[in-house]
Each structure stands twice: as C-alpha cells, then as structure tokens.
Amino acid sequence: MNTNYLLPAEWERQSGVLLTWPHANTDWKPYLKDITTMFVDMARAIADRERLLIATPETDMVDTLLHAALSPQAMANVRIVECDSNDTWARDHAPITLTATDGQNLMLDFQFNGWGRKFGAEKDNAIGRNLHAANALHAPMENHLNFVLEGGAIESDGQGTIMTTSQCLLAPNRNQPLDRQEIELELKRRLRAQRVIWLDHGNLEGDDTDGHIDTIVRMAPDNTLLYMGCDDTNDSQYDDLKALEQQLKELRTSDGKPYQLLALPSPTPIYDDGERLPATYANFLVINGAVLMPTYRQPENDAKAKGIIAQAFPGRQIVAIDACTAIRQHGSIHCLTMQFPEGVL
C-alpha cells in the first residue's frame, strides 16, 4: 500500500471536469433537446472556471453547439474527444483519481457494470481507457477492473476517510461473494484510505443506483456533512431519512469529534408517469470557485438549499442548474460529471 496517495476532497483545486455528452442512441432520446440544454448550461459554468473534457460520438455537432453558446475564452478550455457511450453518467464510469503528497496523480480504472447489471455498460466501461489512450488524461492508470466501484458510491474528506452506503456496495451483482468486511478492506487497499464510514439509511425512491451516497450525504470543509433532511411526516421517505440523520449525529471524525451537520431540504416529490423521481439537492458539484447545484423549479426549496450549500462552501459562487430533465433518468449534476485534480487535464 502506498500511503502517500489519498482520494482528494472534491473542493480541492481541480484541473477540470468530464462530461459524457447525451445523444440519440441513449435513453435521453425522448427529451434530447431538453437534456442538451442542461449540458450546455453545465458546460458553460465549468469552462468559465476550469478545463472541460467532453466524450461524445458526435464531436462536430457538440463543437458547433458549444461555439455558439460559450464565449471564446470558455471554448479555449474545452477539449472534445470522439468516444462512444451507452449513457452519460460520468461520475460512475470515469476513472477515480488519487493524489500524492508530491503532487503526482494516479487514476484507478474500476469496473462499471450498469449499477449491478441493470443496464448495458460495455461502452461506458471503456470510456476511461479510451480517453487515456487519446492522451486526454495525463496520469498513470491502474487497472482495477476486477472490482466494481462507481464514483457516486463514495465520498472523501481528502484526509483518508471514505464514506459509503451499505445498501449500494452490498447490493447484488456488485462484488459478491465479498462481504462487508472484505469490501471495506478492498476499499482501503485500492483507495489508500485509513478508514471507511458506512451509512445504512437514506435510499431514495426511484434511485437506480441502490443508494449512492452522493444523493443523500456530501462531505464539505471543516468536518461538515450536508445531508438530505425531511420534515414532512407524510413523506414516504421520512422514517428512513430520520434514521439517516440519527446515524450522522452519532458519527465521529478521525480525531473523535462530532461532524457539523447541515440538513438540506427535501424537494417536494416529483413524479413522472406515476413514478417518484429521486430529486435531491445533495447531488451538487464543487468546482474551482463555484458549486453547481441542482434546482427543481421549486422557488422556496431551491432558495433554501442554495443558502445551505453557500454556508458549507463560503467564498464560492453557487450556480443554479435546472435538473428537472436529468432526474427523469434518475440522476442529477454530480452523477453527470467527474472532476479531476490539478495535472490530469
């Protein structure tokens, strides 16, 4: 084990972000125009502040679209690489990058199998290697394809603590026959972590991922945890989210102190064809100088969530991105993106 490497916190300095662009051969086809609008909004917010890497089978189309929508200064930060995909969830198919105390980076290429073989993923599982082969990612890449791990399943404080959920990592078709203890040892070994915190509550209705942590709890500076709260006793998720809150109150940092807890509001339930969608304000993305937060056309809840996120990330601009189309495919901003530390892009 090389203890010099750590999984950095998301709020540490970045070189850029990956977007895997939607196209007509994905599940976005029925509302491709609307999701493309959201991707343009994300691309603009990112490229105004740092580099943006885009994987797409339609390079000319995306290039034309972004040249019309972004400033010349922002376009100078954009690189578009031809790369086919099953879908667009970069958080889960992109490599996970560790950083060393000397500034060196190491990319870990885990297996992505469509969240437990629910969906086809063979093209997505190859995206990291394809981008690396195209010289778009500038760091050594380790092969970890014998272990299933999605970026949305883990959070890091940048100090050696990894947080995850038992409902996801112990779900079927991930890493059986490994049990919880064995999976924890693998996480520590592969991510060079000192400890793993397991959460056992908070799975949202309509979530295809079996309970990714980035939908319910996020780490922030100064030992702060933002989490999805719920005050509506009539909400079907109320009991489980209250159990999550209680578990968070009992957690301690590596030096034995309680975490500072900030409860995000639950969006008013959103339904699509009778199915509740996993809308959450926890699925934000931290970038250089800003936080991209999802909004759901609920002015009161959106404003309250914005204020709480701003409290956790002082000095960063909070950029609202309409995520109503994204949650129709059961994800949001963080799920659609993957950030890279300095030196990778």
Side-chain angles (χ1 to χ4, degrees), residues 149-161:
L149 183 66
E150 302 119 24
I154 53 174
E155 278 284 299
S156 173
D157 65 356
Q159 303 297 319
T161 294

Side-chain angles (χ1 to χ4, degrees), residues 97-98 104-107 132 136-142 343-344:
T97 310
L98 307 181
Q104 296 298 306
N105 296 310
L106 177 65
M107 310 192 85
H132 198 259
L137 302 174
H138 300 280
M141 182 177 287
E142 277 189 355
V344 175

Side-chain angles (χ1 to χ4, degrees), residues 128-296:
R129 294 186 296 283
N130 289 337
L131 292 173
H132 198 259
N135 202 32
L137 302 174
H138 300 280
M141 182 177 287
E142 277 189 355
N143 184 329
H144 290 261
L145 294 173
N146 61 348
F147 191 79
V148 177
L149 183 66
E150 302 119 24
I154 53 174
E155 278 284 299
S156 173
D157 65 356
Q159 303 297 319
T161 294
I162 301 297
M163 188 174 286
T164 190
T165 68
S166 56
Q167 56 262 42
C168 176
L169 289 195
L170 302 182
N173 302 315
R174 293 300 212 286
N175 290 301
Q176 286 77 15
L178 299 183
D179 61 21
R180 177 168 169 156
Q181 183 179 9
E182 291 167 328
I183 290 174
E184 178 169 325
L185 289 174
E186 289 297 322
L187 290 175
K188 289 179 177 178
R189 181 175 71 85
R190 296 170 190 264
L191 298 174
R192 283 70 164 179
Q194 277 76 59
R195 66 175 190 145
V196 177
I197 294 175
W198 294 80
L199 300 178
D200 303 308
H201 304 280
N203 196 8
L204 305 183
E205 295 177 26
D207 178 14
D208 287 330
T209 70
D210 302 307
H212 272 184
I213 193 164
D214 69 351
T215 65
I216 56 169
V217 179
R218 302 295 307 282
M219 288 181 155
D222 302 318
N223 292 324
T224 300
L225 301 178
L226 296 97
Y227 67 99
M228 188 165 174
C230 185
D231 295 324
D232 182 2
T233 57
N234 294 317
D235 191 317
S236 56
Q237 299 180 152
Y238 175 83
D239 289 341
D240 197 35
L241 289 174
K242 282 299 178 183
L244 170 68
E245 182 177 62
Q246 183 58 40
Q247 188 173 11
L248 295 177
K249 289 178 179 178
E250 296 169 359
L251 294 181
R252 294 295 180 267
T253 65
S254 56
D255 56 0
K257 299 177 181 178
Y259 284 93
Q260 177 184 350
L261 302 181
L262 296 176
L264 293 163
S266 285
T268 302
I270 302 171
Y271 295 88
D272 185 29
D273 196 24
E275 176 191 24
R276 184 170 180 174
L277 302 177
T280 169
Y281 292 109
N283 206 248
F284 55 80
L285 173 71
V286 185
I287 62 173
N288 295 339
V291 180
L292 277 55
M293 67 160 284
T295 58
Y296 300 103

Side-chain angles (χ1 to χ4, degrees), residues 3 9 21 23 31 46 64 69 80 87 90 117 171 181 214 216 227 250 254 274 282 289 292 315 320 343:
T3 54
W21 207 264
H23 53 87
Y31 22 85
I46 294 165
T64 300
I80 303 172
D87 214 326
R117 302 176 193 160
Q181 183 179 9
D214 69 351
I216 56 169
Y227 67 99
E250 296 169 359
S254 56
L292 277 55

